[in-house]
Amino acid sequence: MQLPASLTHISAEQDWQHTTAYPPLGFTPFSEGALGNGDTFGLYWPIGREASEPIVVETWHDESRLQPNFSSLAAFLRAHAAAGDAEDEDVYVALPTLADDPASPRATFLAAKELIAQRNPGAAIALLEAALAIVPEYTDALVLLHGQYVRAGRIDEAVKVAIQAIISPPSFGGPPLKALQWLRTQPVPEGEIDPIWRACGQLSFNFGGSKDNADYPVLLAAIDTYLAQGKHVCAATLMQTYAELMSAETVSFQERHAFEPAAFIARQIAVSALLPQGSRDPALLWSSELA
């Protein structure tokens, strides 16, 4: 993963290890701007963009969510400096506007919602596409873009975005129930190879509160299919989603489905080594920095 040029200006946890599903693989916290109660800012490398500098996300610990607030560490540092004493870690760093950070994924998403309310879907689509070019697994933006594509009659694009929303992590939004329900109404072309589209009729995305859930075997099979097809970005994305969903279940449920968190994380890291832009293993990230 590509480290940001301004790394020396933050107190990143260089001994950070990925031991739980949330925060997701690809995240490293730092102390500047932390709000307490487990909420912090951190570097995050979107899946498949490991060779680029990270964005800066804000964690919402109680909701197990990440908000992709800043398009770069440099943009965060400008906001941190503007918020107060640059030497004070405890200043409140607000969400940037598009004037502050024109590429902020979350500010872009919120601006797109406003444009939709103003009946300007074309401009909203352009903004959502820009946000997803930075964070392809931004589930909230995917769900919103899917609805606009459907309304615009852009069905082929709507199918691709629906699939991406389904495989993207709940830490970035969701659940993408409307996208799933819509995809189930679309005829699957003969010879279609995407495992999620082929099996979407077996998915409910209704998690928790039951002794069993048939979604999990379908998602695991889709991960294996993506790997067999060499679609490592899709596989890594769905693995993160699977880990987050399964980690929200009870221990007894996890045991029934043979989910062992440490082993699954190890598999996530191993699969990330197959990504075209490099591994998401934080140990490799900091070892290269210290070398």
Side-chain angles (χ1 to χ4, degrees):
M1 291 183 284
Q2 176 65 43
L3 288 166
S6 46
L7 181 65
T8 57
H9 296 284
I10 58 170
S11 305
E13 293 189 29
Q14 295 193 13
D15 59 350
W16 175 260
Q17 294 296 317
H18 186 63
T19 58
T20 56
Y22 175 87
L25 187 63
F27 170 84
T28 296
F30 56 79
S31 58
E32 287 74 14
L35 298 176
N37 194 33
D39 291 342
T40 184
F41 286 97
L43 305 175
Y44 180 75
W45 284 262
I47 301 169
R49 300 187 68 247
E50 292 76 16
S52 301
E53 290 197 6
I55 65 170
V56 171
V57 298
E58 179 183 356
T59 66
W60 289 4
H61 185 267
D62 290 346
E63 299 177 37
S64 297
R65 292 286 298 272
L66 293 183
Q67 297 294 349
N69 287 4
F70 295 91
S71 64
S72 66
L73 178 56
F76 169 85
L77 290 171
R78 288 194 298 270
H80 186 263
D85 185 349
E87 300 300 320
D88 182 2
E89 293 182 355
D90 298 324
V91 298
Y92 175 70
V93 182
L95 173 70
T97 65
L98 287 182
D100 301 323
D101 182 3
S104 162
R106 187 169 174 229
T108 299
F109 167 75
L110 294 174
K113 289 184 73 173
E114 291 184 8
L115 287 167
I116 291 169
Q118 296 165 9
R119 302 183 184 277
N120 190 351
I125 286 172
L127 285 180
L128 292 167
E129 290 173 340
L132 290 164
I134 296 174
V135 191
E137 64 270 35
Y138 191 179
T139 314
D140 277 342
L142 287 161
V143 169
L144 193 59
L145 180 60
H146 171 261
Q148 298 312 301
Y149 277 161
V150 171
R151 291 182 181 90
R154 297 166 64 172
I155 302 304
D156 289 346
E157 291 160 297
V159 166
K160 292 177 182 177
V161 169
I163 292 169
Q164 182 67 21
I166 291 165
I167 70 171
S168 291
S171 55
F172 279 107
L177 291 174
K178 288 185 178 180
L180 173 61
Q181 292 164 358
W182 178 86
L183 187 64
R184 293 174 67 167
T185 69
Q186 302 306 300
V188 182
E190 185 176 351
E192 173 59 43
I193 65 171
D194 184 86
I196 291 296
W197 197 0
R198 289 204 317 257
C200 66
Q202 303 172 49
L203 294 171
S204 69
F205 264 56
N206 181 21
F207 296 99
S210 61
K211 193 171 182 178
D212 201 5
N213 189 321
D215 283 25
Y216 287 110
V218 174
L219 297 177
L220 272 183
I223 291 168
D224 290 340
T225 299
Y226 281 137
L227 289 172
Q229 293 173 346
K231 296 181 177 179
H232 299 123
V233 171
C234 291
T237 304
L238 185 51
M239 289 184 79
Q240 180 60 44
T241 299
Y242 184 91
E244 291 182 21
L245 292 170
M246 184 62 80
S247 294
E249 302 284 1
T250 64
V251 171
S252 59
F253 185 99
Q254 293 172 15
E255 290 173 347
R256 286 195 297 274
H257 285 265
F259 178 75
E260 205 290 308
F264 197 85
I265 288 169
R267 189 183 180 211
Q268 280 186 270
I269 291 173
V271 167
S272 80
L274 304 173
L275 292 169
Q277 296 195 15
S279 173
R280 298 173 68 76
D281 186 351
L284 294 178
L285 171 70
W286 299 115
S287 63
S288 65
E289 167 67 8
L290 298 173

